[in-house]
Amino acid sequence: MAMEDLAFIKGFCRLCDDGFKQGWHERNGGNLTYRMTDEEVAEAKPFFEEPREWVKMGVRGENLAGQYFVSTGSGKYMRNVLEDPHANIGIVEINETGDAFRIVWGLANGARPTSEFESHYMNHCVAAARTDGADRVIYHAHTPGIIEMSFVVPLEDRAFTRILWQMMTECVVVFPAGVGVVPWMVPGGPAIAEASSELMKTYDTIVWAHHGLFAAGPDFDTTFGLAHTVEKAAEIYLAARAANGGSDDFLNKISDKGLKDTCRDFNIKINDAFVD
């Protein structure tokens, strides 16, 4: 038995590989973090290594102080995670004030957690608070359809959400709150972390303009499925728009009544601000 044999590590690695196979992770693009349960921490501790030095994050989240996270590595390639987890991912411990981390396993040869760990951590703090601790996964992928949409759609929550909802019947069921949109910002720092975490108070999914998608969920399957659904809807929109001569004044659309009726029948609360 080794760390790599534990179920949550296997699930983490599979998501990385699934995203790479979708074409969402060119070079070292994208990242993934997972907040471990107490049982998983106990299961993993026998494999912990000598802790490294504490690293200040530049952000603070006290509600997840003392927690442990699995994280992809900065500069690491998703395509390599499944083959060599110890070199490409790691486990980090958050300090008791929620403003620093240290590596306790993996990220071999001096590697560091993703450069966007601050954004991940702040979004974990907000998502955990919003879902009473249920959300444990934060996933960022360079989804091409969403990136392409950010060139041709107003960078507004309502505009993006309505388009995506109308592309497939299931969309409003999968993300009934809609999607948030962060206009282009330099990645990896406190500013984009704060902007994203503010939107995460409302949404499970955030668009980073010209950059990709940020998704939160309780487990690997749900989070990947959310990102997959949003990206597929974006691709359908772009294909339909191209087939319509570049216009999104489509002959047929799912009506607002249809969106509301779908949520009613599935007993889901739709974001009323995004329907007429």
Side-chain angles (χ1 to χ4, degrees):
M1 176 70 91
M3 185 74 83
E4 292 85 346
D5 298 319
L6 301 183
F8 70 95
I9 293 291
K10 286 183 176 181
F12 188 98
C13 294
R14 179 190 170 187
L15 195 159
C16 293
D17 193 55
D18 285 345
F20 170 71
K21 288 175 179 174
Q22 289 293 325
W24 299 346
H25 299 291
E26 77 295 335
R27 202 171 178 270
N28 63 318
N31 30 68
L32 174 66
T33 54
Y34 170 69
R35 180 169 58 89
M36 296 163 60
T37 66
D38 292 343
E39 293 77 14
E40 288 165 343
V41 173
E43 190 179 24
K45 274 190 173 179
F47 307 108
F48 282 2
E49 299 155 352
E50 184 68 25
R52 298 191 208 167
E53 74 282 355
W54 290 104
V55 177
K56 286 286 188 180
M57 290 189 288
V59 296
R60 180 191 296 268
E62 296 178 356
N63 65 315
L64 296 184
Q67 298 280 303
Y68 290 82
F69 292 82
V70 189
S71 174
T72 49
S74 178
K76 300 299 183 180
Y77 292 25
M78 290 287 202
R79 69 187 298 267
N80 295 331
V81 168
L82 198 60
E83 180 179 335
D84 189 357
H86 188 259
N88 293 283
I89 69 174
I91 295 177
V92 301
E93 176 188 7
I94 304 299
N95 68 354
E96 292 304 316
T97 53
D99 63 356
F101 69 82
R102 64 179 179 180
I103 299 167
V104 297
W105 178 85
L107 293 171
N109 302 314
R112 293 289 189 181
T114 170
S115 61
E116 290 169 339
F117 189 78
E118 291 175 337
S119 292
H120 278 251
Y121 182 68
M122 288 304 297
N123 280 277
H124 272 289
C125 290
V126 171
R130 176 170 54 83
T131 63
D132 196 25
D135 276 4
R136 292 184 173 275
V137 182
I138 297 286
Y139 178 44
H140 168 50
H142 293 177
T143 45
I146 284 294
I147 294 172
E148 290 163 11
M149 275 186 67
S150 67
F151 286 93
V152 297
V153 173
L155 299 178
E156 301 167 356
D157 302 358
R158 192 177 195 272
F160 258 79
T161 295
R162 287 180 58 82
I163 286 171
L164 294 169
W165 277 351
Q166 291 173 337
M167 291 303 104
M168 294 193 299
T169 300
E170 292 81 358
C171 284
V172 73
V173 176
V174 175
F175 50 101
V179 300
V181 180
V182 175
W184 187 87
M185 299 179 71
V186 175
I192 196 169
E194 294 290 349
S196 302
S197 62
E198 186 62 30
L199 290 175
M200 191 62 74
K201 294 176 181 177
T202 302
Y203 308 107
D204 293 324
T205 318
I206 298 167
V207 172
W208 280 357
H210 313 301
H211 190 166
L213 193 64
F214 215 65
D219 53 55
F220 298 121
D221 283 349
T222 303
T223 309
F224 185 82
L226 173 60
H228 201 182
T229 303
V230 172
E231 171 60 11
K232 186 174 183 179
E235 292 172 357
I236 291 170
Y237 169 73
L238 294 162
R241 183 167 177 163
N244 200 39
S247 170
D248 63 0
D249 183 16
F250 301 125
L251 178 62
N252 303 304
K253 289 183 179 180
I254 301 173
S255 68
D256 284 35
K257 182 179 184 301
L259 295 171
K260 289 186 280 190
D261 287 350
T262 299
C263 286
R264 180 201 64 212
D265 288 357
F266 279 84
N267 196 28
I268 293 171
K269 171 64 176 172
I270 194 172
N271 187 338
D272 291 323
F274 293 165
V275 285
D276 296 328

